[in-house]
Amino acid sequence: MTKRAVVPMDCHGSMDPPSSPRTLPVGAVSLRNHGLREFSTGTIGDLIGLRNITMLDVSRNELWALPGLNQLQGLRHLDISRNWFEALPEGLVALKQLVGVDASYNMLRANNESLQLTRLATLDQLRRLDIGCNQKCCKKSHAEMIRAQLPQLEVLGISVAPDGSCPAPAGYFEGSSAAERDATVLRAQLEPWSTSALRRRLVADFGRPATDPATVNRAQVMAELLECYQAEPPRRVVLVDGTTVADHHCHDLLVELKKWVAATEASGPLTRERPSIQASHYMILTAPTEFITGSAKAHKAAAKLEAHASLWEVAQRAVDSVDPEFGSRFTALAVTHNFRGSPHIDKQNVGPFLGISLGDFPEGEGGILVECSARVVA
């Protein structure tokens, strides 16, 4: 068995590529990856004097505020990337010499309150603003709004939206969603992983040198990883038999599923609940225990469950027949028709689950495949 190497990571779980010690420019202060949860200008002021600081790097910490930032009157470059900022520091407005801000990998939103656009507009020297990898700042319309309010910018860094509203650079992804990818192709199986996870895999599982995000992009990381896999035998697939469900439960389930498909098709144009997944029909029913009493969402979920009560009941009986303890606590039921492999990382179904497939399948198909490690799928 290949032993997985230990990869240095920061407090966010992101790989921290090793770099050669470097001498900081005069006027630069780096508190990068110090595990900070609080910031004090007193600490850095004791080093070289607040007014002499031209570059401040507090990236890869756990900060959400920079009290006293306005005292750094000579600051030209600020790096607050990979922190917990929900809004850019208010003190930025006092920094009239500021040229560049890196606020990538935070929790910023595309509005004036979070991005401090009105205040940043008064900074005539500001030329570069990076808000990449902030999940709520990821659309072409966001970029257009920011550029309109900050005409002095020469460079704006902003991430790609999953819906493709900001086209991804060539080679970054194949297909805009799992539904557009061939599940039998290795790249489609790797595509759901974040770029950081792919970088870690290159180092931990294939012994390659760490890559620097500043110079090696996702397309290059993916290409190198696929080369590594191509030099080895195919990934091992382990087939595990599940628990047999009694025929009468399977029959009852199939009857209700066919009723559901027929009713859905008769109701008009199909609108799948998860269009990113390859399936003719897809529906999620929520257990009554999960309803938030009185909310509009709860009323809608309750009505939906009532309309499909028979389907829920037969599924409940099938689950109880193989695992009564799990049957007493599962919270949702996903129902699909003609589901086909769509490699993805499920961000909602994050707990244990049971699955059953009804139909005729070739040997080794009709089940769920889960990546156990870089080289094993079961």
Side-chain angles (χ1 to χ4, degrees):
M1 178 181 294
T2 304
K3 186 176 181 181
R4 198 164 197 255
V6 176
V7 180
M9 292 186 291
D10 63 16
C11 55
H12 299 269
S14 296
M15 187 170 67
D16 195 7
S19 56
S20 302
R22 60 188 179 92
T23 302
L24 293 173
V26 175
V29 173
S30 176
L31 298 174
R32 181 181 188 272
N33 201 12
H34 275 47
L36 300 178
R37 292 192 173 183
E38 292 183 353
F39 174 82
S40 170
T41 54
T43 303
I44 59 175
D46 291 341
L47 298 176
I48 58 176
L50 295 180
R51 290 186 176 274
N52 296 323
I53 297 174
T54 59
M55 181 185 299
L56 176 61
D57 182 354
V58 293
S59 63
R60 294 179 180 265
N61 286 293
E62 300 175 22
L63 300 170
W64 57 86
L66 294 180
L69 181 65
N70 60 308
Q71 300 176 50
L72 279 61
Q73 294 293 309
L75 194 67
R76 292 176 58 80
H77 302 282
L78 175 65
D79 188 345
I80 60 171
S81 62
R82 296 184 183 273
N83 276 285
W84 293 351
F85 286 92
E86 295 184 354
L88 292 178
E90 294 183 4
L92 287 177
V93 68
L95 308 180
K96 301 303 182 183
Q97 304 302 314
L98 196 63
V99 174
V101 177
D102 185 349
S104 59
Y105 293 93
N106 277 282
M107 296 178 282
L108 303 175
R109 292 177 175 269
N111 57 49
N112 185 58
E113 181 180 0
S114 181
L115 297 180
Q116 305 286 333
L117 295 175
T118 302
R119 290 171 173 163
L120 292 185
T122 67
L123 302 180
D124 296 335
Q125 302 300 315
L126 187 64
R127 296 294 181 267
R128 295 186 298 278
L129 175 63
D130 189 347
I131 55 171
C133 297
N134 283 271
Q135 292 187 355
K136 300 299 182 180
C137 301
C138 61
K139 295 184 178 180
K140 186 177 180 180
S141 59
H142 298 160
E144 292 172 346
M145 174 194 70
I146 295 168
R147 287 192 178 280
Q149 297 194 47
L150 302 178
Q152 75 271 37
L153 287 182
E154 294 177 356
V155 179
L156 172 64
I158 189 167
S159 292
V160 176
D163 62 3
S165 56
C166 250
Y172 270 43
F173 296 94
E174 283 193 357
S176 60
S177 69
E180 298 180 8
R181 298 173 187 139
D182 181 353
T184 64
V185 176
L186 177 60
R187 173 158 185 172
Q189 298 166 19
L190 299 176
E191 207 71 86
W193 289 108
S194 68
T195 307
S196 293
L198 299 180
R199 292 184 197 277
R200 287 199 295 272
R201 181 165 295 191
L202 274 174
V203 177
D205 296 295
F206 293 97
R208 293 294 182 94
T211 54
D212 186 349
T215 58
V216 182
N217 62 31
R218 180 185 175 88
Q220 295 167 304
V221 171
M222 180 66 82
E224 184 176 353
L225 189 56
L226 291 174
E227 286 180 7
C228 291
Y229 274 109
Q230 192 172 14
E232 297 187 352
R235 297 210 287 183
R236 186 162 64 99
V237 178
V238 179
L239 300 181
V240 181
D241 290 332
T243 302
T244 301
V245 179
D247 287 345
H248 67 279
H249 288 307
C250 292
H251 174 270
D252 292 346
L253 263 176
L254 194 56
V255 168
E256 291 300 326
L257 288 170
K258 288 180 177 179
K259 288 180 181 178
W260 164 61
V261 169
T264 303
E265 293 179 344
S267 63
L270 297 179
T271 54
R272 287 185 291 135
E273 293 182 18
R274 293 189 68 183
S276 62
I277 299 299
Q278 289 192 54
S280 300
H281 303 81
Y282 192 107
M283 176 180 69
I284 296 177
L285 298 176
T286 305
T289 53
E290 296 299 295
F291 297 163
I292 301 176
T293 306
S295 70
K297 188 175 181 180
H299 286 302
K300 185 176 181 180
K304 185 178 178 183
L305 181 60
E306 183 178 359
H308 301 92
S310 297
L311 179 53
W312 178 277
E313 290 170 3
V314 296
Q316 179 77 66
R317 290 197 292 269
V319 172
D320 289 341
S321 70
V322 295
D323 191 339
E325 195 276 331
F326 183 79
S328 68
R329 60 187 179 89
F330 77 90
T331 58
L333 176 68
V335 188
T336 69
H337 173 227
N338 287 339
F339 178 87
R340 293 174 292 282
S342 305
H344 64 283
I345 296 175
D346 205 323
K347 296 180 180 179
Q348 296 178 329
N349 183 14
V350 295
F353 72 95
L354 297 181
I356 181 172
S357 299
L358 303 173
D360 297 319
F361 306 100
E363 181 66 24
E365 297 185 14
I368 296 174
L369 291 177
V370 178
E371 186 181 86
C372 301
S373 69
R375 295 178 173 86
V376 179
V377 177

